[in-house]
């Protein structure tokens, strides 16, 4: 993988379906089991997922993913074979689920990285200002479009975004179409993966 080594015994596991946050786990020492069966920690309600699809485990200070599935598991779009190290910002895909490796921010760490402890934001280490400046200069993202990107990354629905920003759902959809075109993505899931990739480059 090409991300940043975690270097800590805690990581935030965020699970998305079509860009919507549906589950979240903070993983310390131990194992996080992922699959279709009800005994898993992360339950994937999809026939494309195996009953016991894969698991994440801390081993000698590294977070490793072991794939035990029939259909395979992707890490940053590459098929994971056997055991693979997972790093901050990496994106695990088990269709239609996207699982993101996000940092855990608390107290002084959260303040240092401009993270609101009450939010679900998944922005990585550079902080929002650096990320926003990069998107504005590189992709011509407007202030309003960046606000919408923030809420998409929080797992908010279009209706939620429209109520928060006091604009119509139609306007939200229009902004999203423009964002998709500028960032050359076709879905919320691809947008999240693209932003996480940008975050890793900025670290």
């Amino acid at each position: 993988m090409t991300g940043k080594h975690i270097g800590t015994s805690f990581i935030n596991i965020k699970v998305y379906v079509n860009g919507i946050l549906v589950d979240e786990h903070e993983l310390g020492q131990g194992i996080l089991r992922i699959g279709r069966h009800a005994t898993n920690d992360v339950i994937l309600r999809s026939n494309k997922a195996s009953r016991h699809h894969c698991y994440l485990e801390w081993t000698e200070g590294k977070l490793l993913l072991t794939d035990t599935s029939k259909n395979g598991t992707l890490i940053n779009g590459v098929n994971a074979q056997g055991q693979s190290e997972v790093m901050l910002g990496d994106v695990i895909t088990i269709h239609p689920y996207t699982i993101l490796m996000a940092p855990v921010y608390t107290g002084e760490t959260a303040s240092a990285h401009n993270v609101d402890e009450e939010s679900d934001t998944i922005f990585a280490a550079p902080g929002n200002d650096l990320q926003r400046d990069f998107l504005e200069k590189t992709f011509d993202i407007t202030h309003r479009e960046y606000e919408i990107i923030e809420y998409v990354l929080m797992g908010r629905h279009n209706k939620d975004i429209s109520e928060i920003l006091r604009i119509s759902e139609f306007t939200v959809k229009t902004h999203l179409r423009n964002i998709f075109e500028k960032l050359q993505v076709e879905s919320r899931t691809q947008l999240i993966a693209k932003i996480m990739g940008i975050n890793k480059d900025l670290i």
Side-chain angles (χ1 to χ4, degrees):
M1 300 303 102
T2 59
K4 183 178 180 181
H5 286 278
I6 294 169
T8 179
S9 58
F10 289 94
I11 190 168
N12 205 1
I13 312 296
K14 291 177 177 281
V15 184
Y16 293 80
V17 176
N18 299 321
I20 304 300
L21 183 68
V22 296
D23 197 5
E24 185 172 5
H25 296 265
E26 186 174 303
L27 178 61
Q29 297 295 337
I31 298 175
L32 186 79
R33 294 176 175 83
I34 303 171
R36 199 176 70 247
H37 195 271
T39 57
N40 289 286
D41 302 298
V42 177
I43 301 173
L44 306 179
R45 304 184 188 283
S46 169
N47 290 332
K48 294 187 177 181
S50 298
R51 288 167 59 84
H52 302 285
H53 198 96
C54 62
Y55 61 88
L56 292 164
E57 179 179 18
W58 290 102
T59 302
E60 297 181 352
K62 294 181 179 181
L63 184 61
L64 302 178
L65 179 142
T66 301
D67 180 32
T68 56
S69 69
K70 294 181 179 179
N71 296 329
T73 304
L74 300 179
I75 303 178
N76 301 331
V78 178
N79 191 44
Q81 297 181 347
Q83 199 171 64
S84 305
E85 183 179 1
V86 179
M87 301 184 187
L88 279 178
D90 280 348
V91 179
I92 298 171
T93 304
I94 305 170
H95 189 77
Y97 292 85
T98 300
I99 303 173
L100 303 177
M101 303 296 105
V104 174
Y105 291 121
T106 57
E108 294 180 0
T109 304
S111 177
H113 293 292
N114 299 316
V115 175
D116 181 358
E117 293 182 73
E118 299 299 321
S119 77
D120 287 326
T121 184
I122 61 173
F123 291 120
N128 294 7
D129 291 340
L130 180 57
Q131 183 185 66
R132 182 179 62 248
D133 290 344
F134 179 83
L135 289 173
E136 288 176 353
K137 293 175 181 178
T138 306
F139 297 99
D140 195 29
I141 294 295
T142 67
H143 176 73
R144 177 64 85 188
E145 288 169 348
Y146 184 75
E147 286 183 313
I148 292 193
I149 289 173
E150 286 187 301
Y151 287 116
V152 168
L153 294 177
M154 292 177 194
R156 304 288 189 180
H157 296 267
N158 287 353
K159 183 178 180 181
D160 296 332
I161 297 173
S162 70
E163 291 176 353
I164 293 169
L165 297 180
R166 298 183 179 181
I167 58 179
S168 69
E169 285 189 60
F170 177 81
T171 301
V172 173
K173 291 178 182 178
T174 299
H175 282 306
L176 280 173
R177 282 197 298 270
N178 292 336
I179 291 167
F180 288 177
E181 183 177 348
K182 289 179 180 181
L183 293 177
Q184 296 184 329
V185 298
E186 297 180 354
S187 67
R188 287 172 178 257
T189 300
Q190 289 182 11
L191 173 61
I192 291 169
K194 181 100 174 188
I195 296 299
M196 293 304 288
I198 290 171
N199 283 348
K200 289 191 293 182
D201 289 338
L202 293 176
I203 291 174

mmCIF file of all heavy atoms in Angstrom, residues 45-89:
data_model
loop_
_atom_site.group_PDB
_atom_site.id
_atom_site.type_symbol
_atom_site.label_atom_id
_atom_site.label_comp_id
_atom_site.label_asym_id
_atom_site.label_seq_id
_atom_site.Cartn_x
_atom_site.Cartn_y
_atom_site.Cartn_z
ATOM 1 N N ARG A 45 -24.334 -6.919 4.416
ATOM 2 C CA ARG A 45 -25.592 -7.486 3.935
ATOM 3 C C ARG A 45 -25.595 -7.506 2.412
ATOM 4 O O ARG A 45 -26.305 -6.748 1.757
ATOM 5 C CB ARG A 45 -26.770 -6.684 4.499
ATOM 6 C CG ARG A 45 -26.744 -6.609 6.018
ATOM 7 C CD ARG A 45 -27.939 -5.916 6.615
ATOM 8 N NE ARG A 45 -27.787 -5.705 8.045
ATOM 9 C CZ ARG A 45 -27.942 -6.641 8.965
ATOM 10 N NH1 ARG A 45 -28.278 -7.864 8.602
ATOM 11 N NH2 ARG A 45 -27.775 -6.364 10.259
ATOM 12 N N SER A 46 -24.758 -8.377 1.869
ATOM 13 C CA SER A 46 -24.618 -8.494 0.422
ATOM 14 C C SER A 46 -24.255 -9.927 0.076
ATOM 15 O O SER A 46 -23.415 -10.548 0.736
ATOM 16 C CB SER A 46 -23.527 -7.555 -0.095
ATOM 17 O OG SER A 46 -23.211 -7.840 -1.442
ATOM 18 N N ASN A 47 -24.909 -10.469 -0.982
ATOM 19 C CA ASN A 47 -24.614 -11.831 -1.415
ATOM 20 C C ASN A 47 -23.215 -11.952 -2.010
ATOM 21 O O ASN A 47 -22.691 -13.063 -2.155
ATOM 22 C CB ASN A 47 -25.654 -12.294 -2.441
ATOM 23 C CG ASN A 47 -27.020 -12.512 -1.816
ATOM 24 O OD1 ASN A 47 -27.125 -12.834 -0.628
ATOM 25 N ND2 ASN A 47 -28.072 -12.317 -2.608
ATOM 26 N N LYS A 48 -22.601 -10.817 -2.354
ATOM 27 C CA LYS A 48 -21.255 -10.845 -2.915
ATOM 28 C C LYS A 48 -20.189 -10.966 -1.834
ATOM 29 O O LYS A 48 -19.024 -11.210 -2.128
ATOM 30 C CB LYS A 48 -21.017 -9.597 -3.763
ATOM 31 C CG LYS A 48 -21.893 -9.544 -5.006
ATOM 32 C CD LYS A 48 -21.519 -8.395 -5.915
ATOM 33 C CE LYS A 48 -22.373 -8.413 -7.173
ATOM 34 N NZ LYS A 48 -22.028 -7.312 -8.102
ATOM 35 N N ALA A 49 -20.600 -10.790 -0.585
ATOM 36 C CA ALA A 49 -19.680 -10.954 0.534
ATOM 37 C C ALA A 49 -19.757 -12.391 1.042
ATOM 38 O O ALA A 49 -20.824 -13.000 1.074
ATOM 39 C CB ALA A 49 -20.030 -9.986 1.660
ATOM 40 N N SER A 50 -18.628 -12.939 1.434
ATOM 41 C CA SER A 50 -18.594 -14.284 2.007
ATOM 42 C C SER A 50 -19.082 -14.232 3.459
ATOM 43 O O SER A 50 -19.093 -13.174 4.089
ATOM 44 C CB SER A 50 -17.176 -14.844 1.955
ATOM 45 O OG SER A 50 -16.727 -14.966 0.621
ATOM 46 N N ARG A 51 -19.471 -15.397 3.984
ATOM 47 C CA ARG A 51 -19.943 -15.441 5.367
ATOM 48 C C ARG A 51 -18.874 -14.905 6.316
ATOM 49 O O ARG A 51 -19.173 -14.167 7.244
ATOM 50 C CB ARG A 51 -20.313 -16.887 5.739
ATOM 51 C CG ARG A 51 -21.598 -17.374 5.081
ATOM 52 C CD ARG A 51 -21.748 -18.875 5.221
ATOM 53 N NE ARG A 51 -21.763 -19.318 6.607
ATOM 54 C CZ ARG A 51 -22.836 -19.340 7.387
ATOM 55 N NH1 ARG A 51 -23.986 -18.929 6.916
ATOM 56 N NH2 ARG A 51 -22.763 -19.784 8.627
ATOM 57 N N HIS A 52 -17.649 -15.302 6.088
ATOM 58 C CA HIS A 52 -16.509 -14.782 6.850
ATOM 59 C C HIS A 52 -15.514 -14.268 5.814
ATOM 60 O O HIS A 52 -14.633 -15.008 5.376
ATOM 61 C CB HIS A 52 -15.921 -15.864 7.750
ATOM 62 C CG HIS A 52 -16.916 -16.433 8.708
ATOM 63 N ND1 HIS A 52 -17.334 -15.749 9.836
ATOM 64 C CD2 HIS A 52 -17.612 -17.596 8.690
ATOM 65 C CE1 HIS A 52 -18.227 -16.482 10.489
ATOM 66 N NE2 HIS A 52 -18.420 -17.607 9.817
ATOM 67 N N HIS A 53 -15.681 -13.010 5.442
ATOM 68 C CA HIS A 53 -15.010 -12.472 4.252
ATOM 69 C C HIS A 53 -13.534 -12.162 4.502
ATOM 70 O O HIS A 53 -12.667 -12.560 3.724
ATOM 71 C CB HIS A 53 -15.741 -11.203 3.788
ATOM 72 C CG HIS A 53 -15.415 -10.835 2.380
ATOM 73 N ND1 HIS A 53 -16.217 -11.196 1.313
ATOM 74 C CD2 HIS A 53 -14.373 -10.143 1.860
ATOM 75 C CE1 HIS A 53 -15.682 -10.731 0.199
ATOM 76 N NE2 HIS A 53 -14.550 -10.095 0.502
ATOM 77 N N CYS A 54 -13.250 -11.436 5.569
ATOM 78 C CA CYS A 54 -11.875 -11.073 5.884
ATOM 79 C C CYS A 54 -11.822 -10.583 7.336
ATOM 80 O O CYS A 54 -12.860 -10.422 7.973
ATOM 81 C CB CYS A 54 -11.343 -9.988 4.940
ATOM 82 S SG CYS A 54 -12.244 -8.417 5.026
ATOM 83 N N TYR A 55 -10.615 -10.344 7.819
ATOM 84 C CA TYR A 55 -10.509 -9.762 9.151
ATOM 85 C C TYR A 55 -9.276 -8.875 9.240
ATOM 86 O O TYR A 55 -8.288 -9.057 8.524
ATOM 87 C CB TYR A 55 -10.503 -10.836 10.245
ATOM 88 C CG TYR A 55 -9.362 -11.828 10.193
ATOM 89 C CD1 TYR A 55 -8.145 -11.569 10.838
ATOM 90 C CD2 TYR A 55 -9.499 -13.038 9.516
ATOM 91 C CE1 TYR A 55 -7.111 -12.474 10.811
ATOM 92 C CE2 TYR A 55 -8.467 -13.956 9.471
ATOM 93 C CZ TYR A 55 -7.276 -13.677 10.123
ATOM 94 O OH TYR A 55 -6.243 -14.596 10.086
ATOM 95 N N LEU A 56 -9.379 -7.871 10.118
ATOM 96 C CA LEU A 56 -8.278 -6.961 10.392
ATOM 97 C C LEU A 56 -7.704 -7.306 11.752
ATOM 98 O O LEU A 56 -8.442 -7.520 12.710
ATOM 99 C CB LEU A 56 -8.774 -5.510 10.386
ATOM 100 C CG LEU A 56 -9.215 -4.947 9.034
ATOM 101 C CD1 LEU A 56 -10.036 -3.680 9.233
ATOM 102 C CD2 LEU A 56 -7.998 -4.651 8.151
ATOM 103 N N GLU A 57 -6.377 -7.343 11.846
ATOM 104 C CA GLU A 57 -5.738 -7.743 13.100
ATOM 105 C C GLU A 57 -4.417 -7.005 13.285
ATOM 106 O O GLU A 57 -3.637 -6.854 12.341
ATOM 107 C CB GLU A 57 -5.478 -9.252 13.091
ATOM 108 C CG GLU A 57 -4.805 -9.768 14.335
ATOM 109 C CD GLU A 57 -4.578 -11.269 14.289
ATOM 110 O OE1 GLU A 57 -4.624 -11.852 13.180
ATOM 111 O OE2 GLU A 57 -4.362 -11.860 15.362
ATOM 112 N N TRP A 58 -4.183 -6.541 14.507
ATOM 113 C CA TRP A 58 -2.903 -5.914 14.833
ATOM 114 C C TRP A 58 -1.861 -7.000 15.043
ATOM 115 O O TRP A 58 -2.053 -7.917 15.831
ATOM 116 C CB TRP A 58 -3.025 -5.073 16.102
ATOM 117 C CG TRP A 58 -3.836 -3.841 15.923
ATOM 118 C CD1 TRP A 58 -5.129 -3.638 16.313
ATOM 119 C CD2 TRP A 58 -3.413 -2.615 15.304
ATOM 120 N NE1 TRP A 58 -5.537 -2.376 15.975
ATOM 121 C CE2 TRP A 58 -4.508 -1.725 15.354
ATOM 122 C CE3 TRP A 58 -2.218 -2.190 14.714
ATOM 123 C CZ2 TRP A 58 -4.439 -0.445 14.843
ATOM 124 C CZ3 TRP A 58 -2.154 -0.911 14.192
ATOM 125 C CH2 TRP A 58 -3.258 -0.051 14.266
ATOM 126 N N THR A 59 -0.726 -6.894 14.330
ATOM 127 C CA THR A 59 0.369 -7.848 14.482
ATOM 128 C C THR A 59 1.691 -7.096 14.489
ATOM 129 O O THR A 59 2.055 -6.460 13.488
ATOM 130 C CB THR A 59 0.374 -8.882 13.329
ATOM 131 O OG1 THR A 59 -0.881 -9.573 13.308
ATOM 132 C CG2 THR A 59 1.489 -9.898 13.526
ATOM 133 N N GLU A 60 2.379 -7.117 15.607
ATOM 134 C CA GLU A 60 3.685 -6.467 15.755
ATOM 135 C C GLU A 60 3.641 -5.000 15.317
ATOM 136 O O GLU A 60 4.498 -4.517 14.575
ATOM 137 C CB GLU A 60 4.752 -7.226 14.958
ATOM 138 C CG GLU A 60 4.972 -8.648 15.465
ATOM 139 C CD GLU A 60 6.039 -9.376 14.682
ATOM 140 O OE1 GLU A 60 6.502 -8.826 13.659
ATOM 141 O OE2 GLU A 60 6.397 -10.492 15.086
ATOM 142 N N GLY A 61 2.594 -4.300 15.769
ATOM 143 C CA GLY A 61 2.470 -2.877 15.486
ATOM 144 C C GLY A 61 1.930 -2.534 14.120
ATOM 145 O O GLY A 61 1.813 -1.356 13.768
ATOM 146 N N LYS A 62 1.584 -3.544 13.313
ATOM 147 C CA LYS A 62 1.023 -3.304 11.991
ATOM 148 C C LYS A 62 -0.409 -3.817 11.935
ATOM 149 O O LYS A 62 -0.742 -4.825 12.570
ATOM 150 C CB LYS A 62 1.857 -4.007 10.913
ATOM 151 C CG LYS A 62 3.264 -3.469 10.756
ATOM 152 C CD LYS A 62 3.998 -4.209 9.650
ATOM 153 C CE LYS A 62 5.406 -3.679 9.462
ATOM 154 N NZ LYS A 62 6.126 -4.386 8.375
ATOM 155 N N LEU A 63 -1.256 -3.120 11.168
ATOM 156 C CA LEU A 63 -2.625 -3.576 10.971
ATOM 157 C C LEU A 63 -2.665 -4.374 9.675
ATOM 158 O O LEU A 63 -2.385 -3.851 8.596
ATOM 159 C CB LEU A 63 -3.590 -2.398 10.896
ATOM 160 C CG LEU A 63 -5.071 -2.770 10.775
ATOM 161 C CD1 LEU A 63 -5.522 -3.581 11.999
ATOM 162 C CD2 LEU A 63 -5.928 -1.528 10.632
ATOM 163 N N LEU A 64 -2.993 -5.658 9.791
ATOM 164 C CA LEU A 64 -2.993 -6.551 8.637
ATOM 165 C C LEU A 64 -4.400 -6.997 8.292
ATOM 166 O O LEU A 64 -5.214 -7.273 9.172
ATOM 167 C CB LEU A 64 -2.124 -7.781 8.916
ATOM 168 C CG LEU A 64 -0.661 -7.526 9.266
ATOM 169 C CD1 LEU A 64 0.048 -8.848 9.553
ATOM 170 C CD2 LEU A 64 0.050 -6.766 8.154
ATOM 171 N N LEU A 65 -4.685 -7.064 6.999
ATOM 172 C CA LEU A 65 -5.954 -7.606 6.513
ATOM 173 C C LEU A 65 -5.686 -8.993 5.954
ATOM 174 O O LEU A 65 -4.797 -9.173 5.112
ATOM 175 C CB LEU A 65 -6.563 -6.720 5.435
ATOM 176 C CG LEU A 65 -7.896 -7.224 4.850
ATOM 177 C CD1 LEU A 65 -8.850 -6.065 4.582
ATOM 178 C CD2 LEU A 65 -7.685 -8.022 3.558
ATOM 179 N N THR A 66 -6.450 -9.966 6.415
ATOM 180 C CA THR A 66 -6.366 -11.328 5.894
ATOM 181 C C THR A 66 -7.651 -11.634 5.149
ATOM 182 O O THR A 66 -8.738 -11.580 5.714
ATOM 183 C CB THR A 66 -6.160 -12.343 7.030
ATOM 184 O OG1 THR A 66 -4.948 -12.018 7.727
ATOM 185 C CG2 THR A 66 -6.057 -13.752 6.477
ATOM 186 N N ASP A 67 -7.517 -11.931 3.861
ATOM 187 C CA ASP A 67 -8.675 -12.210 3.007
ATOM 188 C C ASP A 67 -8.993 -13.696 3.048
ATOM 189 O O ASP A 67 -8.150 -14.529 2.722
ATOM 190 C CB ASP A 67 -8.382 -11.771 1.576
ATOM 191 C CG ASP A 67 -9.544 -12.030 0.637
ATOM 192 O OD1 ASP A 67 -10.690 -11.958 1.093
ATOM 193 O OD2 ASP A 67 -9.293 -12.328 -0.556
ATOM 194 N N THR A 68 -10.208 -14.037 3.472
ATOM 195 C CA THR A 68 -10.640 -15.437 3.536
ATOM 196 C C THR A 68 -11.866 -15.662 2.659
ATOM 197 O O THR A 68 -12.604 -16.614 2.850
ATOM 198 C CB THR A 68 -10.958 -15.827 4.996
ATOM 199 O OG1 THR A 68 -11.951 -14.925 5.519
ATOM 200 C CG2 THR A 68 -9.718 -15.751 5.861
ATOM 201 N N SER A 69 -12.084 -14.771 1.698
ATOM 202 C CA SER A 69 -13.319 -14.779 0.902
ATOM 203 C C SER A 69 -13.189 -15.604 -0.369
ATOM 204 O O SER A 69 -12.097 -16.009 -0.768
ATOM 205 C CB SER A 69 -13.681 -13.345 0.521
ATOM 206 O OG SER A 69 -12.741 -12.830 -0.423
ATOM 207 N N LYS A 70 -14.330 -15.795 -1.013
ATOM 208 C CA LYS A 70 -14.374 -16.466 -2.311
ATOM 209 C C LYS A 70 -14.258 -15.459 -3.453
ATOM 210 O O LYS A 70 -13.673 -15.759 -4.490
ATOM 211 C CB LYS A 70 -15.674 -17.257 -2.455
ATOM 212 C CG LYS A 70 -15.797 -18.432 -1.498
ATOM 213 C CD LYS A 70 -17.100 -19.183 -1.727
ATOM 214 C CE LYS A 70 -17.223 -20.372 -0.788
ATOM 215 N NZ LYS A 70 -18.500 -21.114 -0.980
ATOM 216 N N ASN A 71 -14.837 -14.268 -3.257
ATOM 217 C CA ASN A 71 -14.894 -13.279 -4.338
ATOM 218 C C ASN A 71 -13.783 -12.242 -4.287
ATOM 219 O O ASN A 71 -13.656 -11.422 -5.182
ATOM 220 C CB ASN A 71 -16.256 -12.569 -4.322
ATOM 221 C CG ASN A 71 -17.391 -13.513 -4.616
ATOM 222 O OD1 ASN A 71 -17.237 -14.478 -5.354
ATOM 223 N ND2 ASN A 71 -18.555 -13.263 -4.013
ATOM 224 N N GLY A 72 -12.971 -12.252 -3.226
ATOM 225 C CA GLY A 72 -11.847 -11.332 -3.157
ATOM 226 C C GLY A 72 -12.177 -10.017 -2.462
ATOM 227 O O GLY A 72 -13.336 -9.638 -2.297
ATOM 228 N N THR A 73 -11.131 -9.332 -2.064
ATOM 229 C CA THR A 73 -11.220 -8.049 -1.378
ATOM 230 C C THR A 73 -10.242 -7.088 -2.034
ATOM 231 O O THR A 73 -9.094 -7.461 -2.304
ATOM 232 C CB THR A 73 -10.852 -8.201 0.112
ATOM 233 O OG1 THR A 73 -11.708 -9.188 0.710
ATOM 234 C CG2 THR A 73 -10.999 -6.884 0.850
ATOM 235 N N LEU A 74 -10.685 -5.861 -2.297
ATOM 236 C CA LEU A 74 -9.819 -4.871 -2.925
ATOM 237 C C LEU A 74 -9.293 -3.891 -1.886
ATOM 238 O O LEU A 74 -10.044 -3.432 -1.019
ATOM 239 C CB LEU A 74 -10.573 -4.098 -4.012
ATOM 240 C CG LEU A 74 -11.148 -4.902 -5.178
ATOM 241 C CD1 LEU A 74 -11.874 -3.963 -6.145
ATOM 242 C CD2 LEU A 74 -10.054 -5.667 -5.906
ATOM 243 N N ILE A 75 -8.016 -3.562 -1.978
ATOM 244 C CA ILE A 75 -7.430 -2.494 -1.177
ATOM 245 C C ILE A 75 -6.902 -1.455 -2.153
ATOM 246 O O ILE A 75 -6.010 -1.729 -2.948
ATOM 247 C CB ILE A 75 -6.288 -2.989 -0.273
ATOM 248 C CG1 ILE A 75 -6.773 -4.108 0.655
ATOM 249 C CG2 ILE A 75 -5.722 -1.834 0.548
ATOM 250 C CD1 ILE A 75 -5.691 -4.674 1.551
ATOM 251 N N ASN A 76 -7.517 -0.272 -2.142
ATOM 252 C CA ASN A 76 -7.180 0.791 -3.099
ATOM 253 C C ASN A 76 -7.278 0.302 -4.535
ATOM 254 O O ASN A 76 -6.457 0.634 -5.392
ATOM 255 C CB ASN A 76 -5.777 1.343 -2.822
ATOM 256 C CG ASN A 76 -5.645 1.911 -1.427
ATOM 257 O OD1 ASN A 76 -6.613 2.389 -0.849
ATOM 258 N ND2 ASN A 76 -4.447 1.843 -0.870
ATOM 259 N N GLY A 77 -8.289 -0.524 -4.797
ATOM 260 C CA GLY A 77 -8.546 -1.003 -6.152
ATOM 261 C C GLY A 77 -7.719 -2.192 -6.580
ATOM 262 O O GLY A 77 -7.882 -2.695 -7.692
ATOM 263 N N VAL A 78 -6.832 -2.677 -5.708
ATOM 264 C CA VAL A 78 -5.968 -3.816 -6.039
ATOM 265 C C VAL A 78 -6.404 -5.028 -5.223
ATOM 266 O O VAL A 78 -6.646 -4.927 -4.017
ATOM 267 C CB VAL A 78 -4.485 -3.488 -5.740
ATOM 268 C CG1 VAL A 78 -3.599 -4.697 -6.039
ATOM 269 C CG2 VAL A 78 -4.033 -2.275 -6.537
ATOM 270 N N ASN A 79 -6.486 -6.175 -5.879
ATOM 271 C CA ASN A 79 -6.945 -7.377 -5.209
ATOM 272 C C ASN A 79 -5.970 -7.791 -4.109
ATOM 273 O O ASN A 79 -4.771 -7.933 -4.334
ATOM 274 C CB ASN A 79 -7.095 -8.514 -6.214
ATOM 275 C CG ASN A 79 -7.823 -9.705 -5.634
ATOM 276 O OD1 ASN A 79 -8.830 -9.550 -4.951
ATOM 277 N ND2 ASN A 79 -7.324 -10.895 -5.890
ATOM 278 N N ALA A 80 -6.484 -7.942 -2.887
ATOM 279 C CA ALA A 80 -5.653 -8.356 -1.753
ATOM 280 C C ALA A 80 -5.503 -9.868 -1.794
ATOM 281 O O ALA A 80 -6.489 -10.599 -1.876
ATOM 282 C CB ALA A 80 -6.303 -7.920 -0.450
ATOM 283 N N GLN A 81 -4.285 -10.324 -1.736
ATOM 284 C CA GLN A 81 -4.024 -11.754 -1.785
ATOM 285 C C GLN A 81 -3.405 -12.195 -0.465
ATOM 286 O O GLN A 81 -2.346 -11.704 -0.070
ATOM 287 C CB GLN A 81 -3.092 -12.089 -2.949
ATOM 288 C CG GLN A 81 -3.687 -11.758 -4.306
ATOM 289 C CD GLN A 81 -2.757 -12.115 -5.448
ATOM 290 O OE1 GLN A 81 -1.584 -12.384 -5.231
ATOM 291 N NE2 GLN A 81 -3.281 -12.118 -6.656
ATOM 292 N N GLY A 82 -4.082 -13.107 0.217
ATOM 293 C CA GLY A 82 -3.569 -13.591 1.494
ATOM 294 C C GLY A 82 -3.629 -12.509 2.554
ATOM 295 O O GLY A 82 -4.696 -12.037 2.925
ATOM 296 N N GLN A 83 -2.457 -12.071 2.998
ATOM 297 C CA GLN A 83 -2.369 -11.078 4.067
ATOM 298 C C GLN A 83 -1.699 -9.812 3.543
ATOM 299 O O GLN A 83 -0.662 -9.861 2.901
ATOM 300 C CB GLN A 83 -1.582 -11.651 5.239
ATOM 301 C CG GLN A 83 -1.793 -10.951 6.551
ATOM 302 C CD GLN A 83 -1.160 -11.714 7.701
ATOM 303 O OE1 GLN A 83 0.055 -11.868 7.759
ATOM 304 N NE2 GLN A 83 -1.986 -12.208 8.619
ATOM 305 N N SER A 84 -2.309 -8.644 3.826
ATOM 306 C CA SER A 84 -1.789 -7.364 3.341
ATOM 307 C C SER A 84 -1.811 -6.347 4.466
ATOM 308 O O SER A 84 -2.736 -6.319 5.276
ATOM 309 C CB SER A 84 -2.643 -6.837 2.176
ATOM 310 O OG SER A 84 -2.734 -7.783 1.132
ATOM 311 N N GLU A 85 -0.792 -5.484 4.506
ATOM 312 C CA GLU A 85 -0.779 -4.411 5.492
ATOM 313 C C GLU A 85 -1.740 -3.314 5.046
ATOM 314 O O GLU A 85 -1.790 -2.956 3.875
ATOM 315 C CB GLU A 85 0.622 -3.831 5.670
ATOM 316 C CG GLU A 85 0.681 -2.757 6.751
ATOM 317 C CD GLU A 85 2.068 -2.173 6.960
ATOM 318 O OE1 GLU A 85 3.002 -2.595 6.245
ATOM 319 O OE2 GLU A 85 2.203 -1.289 7.835
ATOM 320 N N VAL A 86 -2.477 -2.772 6.005
ATOM 321 C CA VAL A 86 -3.417 -1.688 5.746
ATOM 322 C C VAL A 86 -2.891 -0.430 6.423
ATOM 323 O O VAL A 86 -2.405 -0.478 7.548
ATOM 324 C CB VAL A 86 -4.819 -2.035 6.286
ATOM 325 C CG1 VAL A 86 -5.790 -0.889 6.040
ATOM 326 C CG2 VAL A 86 -5.339 -3.302 5.630
ATOM 327 N N MET A 87 -3.002 0.711 5.714
ATOM 328 C CA MET A 87 -2.460 1.960 6.225
ATOM 329 C C MET A 87 -3.531 3.038 6.278
ATOM 330 O O MET A 87 -4.614 2.890 5.700
ATOM 331 C CB MET A 87 -1.298 2.427 5.340
ATOM 332 C CG MET A 87 -0.166 1.430 5.242
ATOM 333 S SD MET A 87 1.209 2.079 4.283
ATOM 334 C CE MET A 87 2.249 0.622 4.192
ATOM 335 N N LEU A 88 -3.224 4.120 6.964
ATOM 336 C CA LEU A 88 -4.150 5.246 7.041
ATOM 337 C C LEU A 88 -4.514 5.731 5.648
ATOM 338 O O LEU A 88 -3.651 5.898 4.791
ATOM 339 C CB LEU A 88 -3.519 6.400 7.825
ATOM 340 C CG LEU A 88 -3.557 6.306 9.349
ATOM 341 C CD1 LEU A 88 -2.838 7.497 9.947
ATOM 342 C CD2 LEU A 88 -4.976 6.219 9.860
ATOM 343 N N GLY A 89 -5.786 5.962 5.434
ATOM 344 C CA GLY A 89 -6.251 6.463 4.154
ATOM 345 C C GLY A 89 -6.563 5.375 3.148
ATOM 346 O O GLY A 89 -7.122 5.657 2.089
#
